[in-house]
Amino acid sequence: MSYICPKCDNTTYDVDEMRATGGTLSKIFDVQNKKFTSVTCRKCSYTEFFKAKTSALSNIFDLFTN
């Protein structure tokens, strides 16, 4: 993946993953069924989030491992 920071035009970055809850039931049962990939510029720390796909199996696993 090549990334150019839209704020400072830097080309060095870090990629990470974040999970979040979606609605009321997922908040009650603490199921993190939303997954995002973050890209953070190493120079200015500008961060963008991109929605990623999750599988039903990972959501079930998350329910039992929290």
Side-chain angles (χ1 to χ4, degrees), residues 20-60:
T21 59
T24 304
L25 285 178
S26 59
K27 289 178 185 175
I28 291 171
F29 293 107
D30 195 26
V31 177
Q32 299 173 338
N33 61 345
K34 305 287 184 191
K35 181 178 172 183
F36 298 90
T37 299
S38 66
V39 180
T40 303
C41 174
R42 287 187 183 168
K43 183 177 178 183
C44 71
S45 297
Y46 177 76
T47 303
E48 290 187 323
F49 290 95
F50 300 93
K51 190 173 183 179
K53 292 184 179 183
T54 59
S55 68
L57 182 61
S58 68
N59 292 339
I60 293 169

